[in-house]
Amino acid sequence: MKPLERRSIIADMVKKHEIVQVTDISRVCQVSEMTIYRDIQKLQQEGRVLKTSRGITSVKTDSADENACVCCFKPSESRLAARIVYEDGSAEKVCCAHCALLRFKEKKEKPKQIISRDFMLDTTFNARRAVFVVGSSLPVLCCSPHVLAFQRREEAAKFIKGFGGSLHTIEEAADAVENGMEDDCCFTSHFNHFGKER
Ligand SMILES: [Zn+2]
Ligand SMILES: [Zn+2]
């Protein structure tokens, strides 16, 4: 299990239960408590969890965080943002297709819908069956490697004629994002983004 996966699991556990013990996390992730302590230290630096005498707790979020991406905590308000909806009706906000794909990779329970905006048509659609463009020459608008979601193959194909990149299904694109990521890319950018204010 990669550090990124573990940290996402820890953040999820803390969100679900008010207090989580390191021993429980180490059992779930099947790594030593030492490793978990290091993950928690990192999460704490990023302002995602808090270490207290009773255990690990979540950081109370203020209203500004309501629109934060579940993955990297960047604001999820631009036209690149998406909403992930699960079978049980719960939903998550992500800043862009990159983070939507990371969540798609991380979560065992696959989302019912990934409500996104088409990059060219500006229509709202379910990106579960989108065509994803990876590695275009556009400047990175949000997270790197950046990914754009298109509702139809037609527009995506036109787009890559002008801006380069390749067409992928959601599974392929999720692999491409994961493999193309520097370790901690999203968490690092989150830290830089909010580092000044916190
Ligand atoms: Zn994000
Ligand atoms: Zn992003």
Side-chain angles (χ1 to χ4, degrees):
M1 196 182 283
K2 291 181 184 171
L4 211 62
E5 283 175 67
R6 276 202 314 272
R7 279 176 222 149
S8 150
I9 288 173
I10 298 169
D12 274 351
M13 284 176 80
V14 167
K15 230 179 271 172
K16 249 175 242 159
H17 315 279
E18 216 171 307
I19 299 257
V20 185
Q21 303 306 327
V22 172
T23 47
D24 296 329
I25 303 171
S26 103
R27 206 174 46 235
V28 169
C29 295
Q30 294 183 324
V31 291
S32 71
E33 291 187 18
M34 246 348 267
T35 306
I36 297 298
Y37 273 117
R38 269 197 301 268
D39 286 336
I40 285 165
Q41 206 172 20
K42 182 104 186 144
L43 286 167
Q44 189 158 273
Q45 280 169 9
E46 289 157 2
R48 300 182 74 187
V49 303
L50 220 60
K51 210 156 75 186
T52 70
S53 54
R54 292 182 303 148
I56 313 304
T57 68
S58 69
V59 175
K60 294 276 170 286
T61 50
D62 55 44
S63 58
D65 280 341
E66 257 172 51
N67 281 319
C69 171
V70 287
C71 247
C72 69
F73 291 86
K74 285 198 201 77
S76 60
E77 285 145 342
S78 79
R79 54 196 289 258
L80 298 169
R83 216 176 134 77
I84 307 177
V85 182
Y86 295 95
E87 288 294 340
D88 65 3
S90 62
E92 292 173 339
K93 285 178 183 168
V94 286
C95 58
C96 65
H98 168 109
C99 285
L101 291 168
L102 280 184
R103 284 308 269 176
F104 184 79
K105 258 311 225 217
E106 278 168 12
K107 297 280 266 190
K108 268 207 194 75
E109 184 212 340
K110 294 305 174 201
K112 195 164 90 177
Q113 286 188 302
I114 302 173
I115 304 167
S116 312
R117 268 181 180 281
D118 182 277
F119 190 69
M120 219 175 250
L121 303 174
D122 211 29
T123 45
T124 304
F125 72 107
N126 179 6
R128 270 309 292 267
R129 273 174 286 280
V131 178
F132 292 90
V133 170
V134 181
S136 77
S137 63
L138 276 198
V140 174
L141 301 166
C142 194
C143 301
S144 171
H146 75 299
V147 188
L148 300 169
F150 290 85
Q151 186 168 7
R152 298 190 311 190
R153 201 164 191 96
E154 206 185 318
E155 278 83 21
K158 277 185 201 154
F159 177 87
I160 65 168
K161 271 194 194 141
F163 296 99
S166 47
L167 305 183
H168 297 276
T169 63
I170 190 164
E171 283 84 6
E172 292 164 359
D175 284 340
V177 166
E178 198 184 47
N179 295 335
M181 254 177 75
E182 305 275 319
D183 187 32
D184 295 347
C185 123
C186 275
F187 290 115
T188 311
S189 63
H190 160 235
F191 193 57
N192 291 340
H193 192 78
F194 290 103
K196 284 189 191 109
E197 294 113 33
R198 293 189 181 187

